[in-house]
Amino acid sequence: MSESSRYQPQAIERQWQERWNDARLHHTPDPGEASYMALSMFPYPSGNLHMGHVRNYVITDVIARVARMRGHQVLHPMGWDAFGLPAENAAIERGVDPGDWTDQNIASMRSQLQRLGLSIDWDREITTCHTDYYRWTQWLFLQFLEAGLAYQKEATVNWDPIDQTVLANEQVDSEGRSWRSGAVVEKRQLRQWFLKITAYADQLLDDLDGLTGWPERVRTMQANWIGRSRGAEISFALVDAAGHDSGEQISVFTTRPDTLHGVSYVVLAPEHQLVERLTTPDQALAVAAFRDLVSGQSEQERTAEDKPKRGIPIGAQVRNPANGQLVPVWIADYVLAEYGTGAVMGVPAHDQRDFLFARQYELPVQQVVIPAGSDEHAFEGGAWCADGILIHSGRFDGLSSASARDAIVVAAEQEGWGRGRTTYRLRDWLISRQRYWGCPIPVIHCESCGVVPVPADQLPVELPRNVPLEGRGGSPLAQLESWVTVPCPCCGKPARRETDTMDTFMCSSWYYLRYSDAHNDTLPFSRAAVDRWLPVDQYVGGIEHAILHLLYARFFTKVLRDRGLLGFSEPFSRLLTQGMVQGITYRNPHTGRHIAPADVADPSDPRDPESGERLDTFYEKMSKSKHNGVDPAVVIDRYGADTARMFILFKAPPEKDLEWDDADVEGQYRFLQRLWRLVDGALQRGLSLAAQSGGVASDRLTPTSAADRDLRRAVHSAIVAVSDDLQGEFQFNTAVAELMKLSNAMGEHLASASDALALEALRSLLLLLAPFAPHMAEELWSRLDAAGSIHRQHWPQADPAALVRDTIPLVIQVKGKVRGNLEVPADADRATLEQLALNSDIAAKWLEGRPPSRVIVVPGKLVNLVP
RNA sequence: GCGCCCGUAGCCCAAUCGGUAGCAGGCAGGUCACUUAAAAUGACCCCAGUGCGGGUUCGAAUCCCGCCGGGCGCACCA
């Protein structure tokens, strides 16, 4: 008989974390038949753990723990996405070394993380800014270079004026703002490094169909981003004023070759290379003025949809290859130089943009497609953009749009004026950055030999220390003459190192592979290790990477597969995108100021502490500027990690946003205290799990009383429910609710149950609790004298016999309305159920003696009598 | 503009295949018990008919159509 005790999470959590650590409990086993990799998106080491991190890692931890208990060999690692601008900015602002700053942040975040009781194998920790990691990032870059998938080119690129570097297209949002700094990006012409992601556009798109374990919306977002459209490229021959072919051509891209006979004009992007050459002298001044006007506009202004379309003829004319008709050439602001061929054919009858343009400039509208089974379309509302039947199209008249598209492409190819072509919205990935704190691009520029890769045995190209940083223009490395000048690896003559560093998304595009073989110093990872652990069985992270990181990682995987470095095509089998953690936010609607919750005297009537004005109250993503953040450390200090974990899992389904609520945290804490007292009561009674190695002999589990039976049913239905909630879709919130339900049932029946059944219930409850509240489960397990760590036990199995009921309540409906219940034998067949229902008082009362015209029997559920 | 997701008690959330909307769960609120009192604890109670309007069905939160509200993605991509 032990003394009664109180739940004191601070003491037990610390103690168990140390013991687990000493016992190497979370050490990764050798991979086997049932290998399972659970992975959270690794964090940037800002130095502060926030609630979003906590949610991410707790979710993954529960998944890892359940997988272990189900007998899998589990790899559950963690690392740091450690290159990036915050470290460099800290260096500029405070003069600290970016490497030291980052290492300190990592140390502090690691210890914050460890307080959560995560079952992470820290032996495989990786840090992208350490040479033992980025050496391999460079090595992989050279693989891309060798495969012809990395190249330099002069291009119009996005320049972030705040962060003073270029950005990839994926890193600029639809408003033209940088994903990091929020600044509106500028366009600059620069020579930059690119990875040829477009070479994999088809695979990246087509393989999305196989990613059935991914949220639909992430797949849709990637498909939209890749933006494949199939169509044709068609050449229009230039014709001079005298009517003779000049020998030059304009090539347009269209998805609607079936509308070719309806072309009224051809439009070039104002930046198109041919514009200067084709403009006739009489139009030269006007065209130059128009081009100036357009180039002075931001992309935002230019692509705003409600803006009127503007254009100007350049004086040239071209011949429509399908019907020989001569049409004028224009330039217009709505045509983009970078997409397709930078030129389009104007078909006002069948394209809304062309229609508006033609209206404005009084260009002819020639209808060539009509709705099937109808007369000609009226053009009051706009263009007819759907498919139909061709008219005014010579030999193609009468064909459907779909077959005309094929037929016209065939004709074009045979007659040499066009071909089928597919274009993409996706652009090659711009990976060079003009910043210091990144992975150096391992190439050397030699005047005689050109771009020379740094030989693999000379990797890593180490980032020099003590570089002066002021964050103003140009690559900081370029100023370090002693570092830049090196002998060419080919010819030995003096040459210059590349001074740009890589986009940090390069580092995060392959880190998940490194975990499989984290200490390999001859390769980034061995093929055997990576193929045994990967693809990641369950990946967990925020939706903000739906395109960025997740697209790049998929691209890397496919390239490395084609290089023979790994044997799979997709890196992440299943993806869970967790929702945001939101804090309660108070804002003064007039001043727009955010007020900290601590300064709000009465939350039921929130007032501005200064002016007394009523405040708006809502939930928003936690952030410093809104004063709505909750520090995980404070919560853990007060309630313990188990409460924090339970709350976060319980409060909302994992993929939905979670509203932080202190009262609910309190409630979760109370639940854990209830569990503690429940087990404490069992200890008072003298119960012990010491004698049980594999469980209780089954004959002793045969319930002999109603309380026993109810208890056992509650236990086993909880096992079924929690197991289901953790299978397939993860529903942690309902799983925790099931634990509460079970503890309620145990509170009711445990005292009157036999020792054997009470122990079975306690044992099951703790096993089910273990992934969620690992410290408490372990502590209570040990207090009950059970052998070994609870985290080395098998997940409990439900006994179907315990779920069987003798009788069940049968719902009696009359005309679909519930009119009463009938207690019936659980195994009764349809006919019996029908008879029981018909003979019941309920039937007598509601049918008033008339026999029903129809009887619907749903065994185990209900009987519906339809009069 | 196009596409996708969501809307259930005061609040957060449940509800296999369409089958008793809450003996799923929690928070908040109320009453009572215990206590000198309070906290803690326990027991009980209160609260929606599923955003709105139609339809299909014996039966709809669930399926279909149209609205309203909120969120997200794409957006002059030819």
Side-chain angles (χ1 to χ4, degrees), chain A residues 94-95 127 141 179 199 276 331 402 416 431 433 500 535 551 560 578 592 597 665 674 700 723 751 759 771 850 855 863:
Chain A
R94 278 170 278 154
T127 304
F141 174 85
W179 72 292
E276 212 146 323
I331 55 176
I431 56 145
R433 296 291 179 273
D500 282 355
L551 186 67
L560 301 189
Q578 105 254 4
V665 179
R674 248 183 343 260
R700 294 181 55 213
S723 303
L759 284 169
R850 293 187 303 265
V855 180
V863 174

Side-chain angles (χ1 to χ4, degrees), chain A residues 678 681-682 685-688 696 700-715 742 744-763:
Chain A
L678 191 70
R685 178 174 156 185
L687 293 178
S688 159
V696 185
R700 294 181 55 213
L701 289 175
T702 310
T704 51
S705 68
D708 279 7
R709 207 163 26 243
D710 289 346
L711 177 63
R712 193 142 201 270
R713 185 179 302 122
V715 168
L742 174 59
N744 290 345
M746 284 170 67
E748 195 174 336
H749 300 301
L750 206 61
S752 48
S754 70
D755 283 2
L757 283 167
L759 284 169
E760 187 201 28
L762 288 163
R763 185 186 148 81

Side-chain angles (χ1 to χ4, degrees), chain A residues 85 103 166 284 602 711 732 735 755 785 831 867:
Chain A
L85 276 174
D103 286 343
V166 297
D602 177 12
L711 177 63
F732 307 110
D755 283 2
D785 268 336

Side-chain angles (χ1 to χ4, degrees), chain A residues 63-89:
Chain A
I63 292 169
R65 288 177 179 278
V66 171
R68 280 192 205 97
M69 291 178 80
R70 285 189 165 141
H72 294 280
Q73 301 87 45
V74 171
L75 172 55
H76 180 212
M78 181 59 72
W80 308 98
D81 189 10
F83 273 130
L85 276 174
E88 192 165 340
N89 290 338

Side-chain angles (χ1 to χ4, degrees), chain A residues 409-420:
Chain A
V409 169
V410 168
E413 283 171 358
Q414 279 169 359
E415 294 161 25
W417 44 267
R419 62 191 174 93

Side-chain angles (χ1 to χ4, degrees), chain A residues 237-374:
Chain A
L238 274 148
V239 176
D240 62 23
H244 300 113
D245 281 16
S246 70
E248 290 212 78
Q249 295 183 329
I250 293 175
S251 186
V252 304
F253 175 73
T254 178
T255 55
R256 293 294 305 275
D258 54 316
T259 63
L260 180 58
H261 293 78
V263 172
S264 309
Y265 57 97
V266 164
V267 202
L268 301 176
E271 303 86 350
H272 198 285
Q273 300 167 11
L274 286 174
V275 174
E276 212 146 323
R277 193 135 37 91
L278 301 186
T279 303
T280 53
D282 55 317
Q283 286 296 92
L285 273 178
V287 166
F290 183 80
R291 293 177 85 185
D292 281 350
L293 179 76
V294 172
S295 64
Q297 288 180 325
S298 71
E299 183 164 29
Q300 175 80 69
E301 289 171 314
R302 198 165 147 190
T303 57
E305 200 173 354
D306 45 4
K307 192 182 69 69
K309 303 176 194 330
R310 285 184 301 192
I312 187 169
I314 64 169
Q317 55 179 349
V318 290
R319 174 177 290 117
N320 185 333
N323 58 11
Q325 203 177 339
L326 296 184
V327 295
V329 179
W330 287 59
I331 55 176
D333 56 359
Y334 75 95
V335 178
L336 308 175
E338 314 90 65
Y339 188 77
T341 61
V344 301
M345 58 189 212
V347 187
H350 305 294
D351 181 285
Q352 188 61 21
R353 290 159 308 193
D354 297 344
F355 180 79
L356 294 173
F357 192 75
R359 272 270 162 99
Q360 187 168 346
Y361 294 106
E362 295 177 345
L363 292 156
V365 178
Q366 172 62 58
Q367 184 175 24
V368 291
V369 178
I370 51 168
S374 134

